Amino acid sequence: MTDETDIQGYLAKGGKLSAPDNAPPRYRAELLRMMASFVDSELAGAAGFADLINEGPGIKEKIAASRIVMEKIDHAERVLNIMGAFGVNTSRYMNVHPWAARVGRDEELGAERRDGDMRLNVFHYPLSGWTDAVVMNVLMGRATVIQLTELSHCSYQPLGEAFGDILPRERRHAELGEEGVVKIISANPNEKANVIASADYWRPRVADTFGGEQSSRFDLLRSFGLRHQNNEDLRLKWAGEVDAFFAKL
């Protein structure tokens, strides 16, 4: 199958590609953009969370934080290796951007990516202590699980399989965050106000990771079989889940 129109029709009907060879140029570009966003977000997320490991209140919390950092870097490597099949220089990639760099906590970034760095904009904001890191992990963890569930059905089979393998570990990261929040409030009920304040700060920034309600890019990705559910449906699912969690505290 070499004709681009035939390939796009094949993908629109649920077909899958298993190697870069037949990928049309626009499909290839969108796929690489999607993978770069994931890799950059995992590397930036790990770099930001690594700084908080020593603030964990106990040995179990430090182990959980270390595990999250290690596994996020591993997830980035798995997807980066798939990008390597498309000609990306994987050995150079780790040093392309300062992954630990952050903007001011109240700076407004909008929806645009910064300086070629493809991380989701939420990962440009700094964490502010252990409670803040755990709360952010709850909100972003839930979002990541929903987004990876969607992307695990994408039309590029090696990437879909990789996301399917990564999904259980990201689900566990979110659970660790939820367990951490419950433990923080159980140890000190006065911390609940800080948990709520932190959730109020992160919620709109995490909500933005789902993209705009009206997205021309989503239509293109759907035509390639790279996406299936629209941004707003995914965002509403996430909002319902986080509302249910915080209502129980």
Side-chain angles (χ1 to χ4, degrees), residues 136-209:
M136 192 276 191
N137 192 46
V138 170
L139 291 165
M140 194 61 222
R142 289 272 188 172
T144 300
V145 168
I146 289 170
Q147 291 161 352
L148 281 187
T149 300
E150 158 81 347
L151 297 176
S152 66
H153 301 294
C154 78
S155 58
Y156 192 64
Q157 191 169 356
L159 182 61
E161 291 174 351
F163 282 151
D165 291 341
I166 290 169
L167 185 55
R169 299 209 298 191
E170 289 288 353
R171 184 176 290 116
R172 182 58 185 147
H173 295 175
E175 291 170 352
L176 287 169
E178 292 168 10
E179 292 166 11
V181 166
V182 171
K183 192 170 183 177
I184 287 169
I185 295 176
S186 297
N188 181 4
N190 291 332
E191 273 293 295
K192 183 173 180 178
N194 291 330
V195 166
I196 299 302
S198 180
D200 289 344
Y201 173 82
W202 287 110
R203 183 166 180 138
R205 293 164 176 80
V206 176
D208 285 345
T209 67

Side-chain angles (χ1 to χ4, degrees), residues 62-178:
K62 294 181 195 298
I63 291 172
S66 300
R67 172 181 170 179
I68 289 172
V69 169
M70 180 193 71
E71 290 183 349
K72 284 190 174 298
I73 295 172
D74 176 70
H75 300 167
E77 184 183 37
R78 292 185 189 204
V79 175
L80 188 55
N81 286 338
I82 297 172
M83 294 174 71
F86 288 83
V88 171
N89 185 339
T90 58
S91 61
R92 180 177 173 273
Y93 199 95
M94 276 294 294
N95 299 318
V96 170
H97 297 292
W99 302 113
R102 296 294 188 267
V103 300
R105 193 160 163 96
D106 294 323
E107 188 169 335
E108 182 55 55
L109 295 180
E112 296 298 321
R113 297 288 193 268
R114 292 170 61 88
D115 302 327
D117 184 336
M118 292 297 291
R119 76 178 80 172
L120 295 168
N121 279 354
V122 69
F123 292 112
H124 282 292
Y125 294 102
L127 299 168
S128 178
W130 180 253
T131 296
D132 190 59
V134 174
V135 172
M136 192 276 191
N137 192 46
V138 170
L139 291 165
M140 194 61 222
R142 289 272 188 172
T144 300
V145 168
I146 289 170
Q147 291 161 352
L148 281 187
T149 300
E150 158 81 347
L151 297 176
S152 66
H153 301 294
C154 78
S155 58
Y156 192 64
Q157 191 169 356
L159 182 61
E161 291 174 351
F163 282 151
D165 291 341
I166 290 169
L167 185 55
R169 299 209 298 191
E170 289 288 353
R171 184 176 290 116
R172 182 58 185 147
H173 295 175
E175 291 170 352
L176 287 169
E178 292 168 10

Side-chain angles (χ1 to χ4, degrees), residues 18-81:
S18 58
D21 302 351
N22 290 333
R26 290 196 69 184
Y27 178 93
R28 177 185 294 253
E30 292 300 331
L31 181 64
L32 280 169
R33 176 188 174 89
M34 200 163 75
M35 290 192 286
S37 178
F38 177 81
V39 171
D40 291 11
S41 296
E42 290 289 281
L43 291 175
F49 210 57
D51 290 339
L52 273 297
I53 291 175
N54 283 330
E55 295 196 26
I59 190 70
K60 289 185 178 179
E61 289 83 358
K62 294 181 195 298
I63 291 172
S66 300
R67 172 181 170 179
I68 289 172
V69 169
M70 180 193 71
E71 290 183 349
K72 284 190 174 298
I73 295 172
D74 176 70
H75 300 167
E77 184 183 37
R78 292 185 189 204
V79 175
L80 188 55
N81 286 338

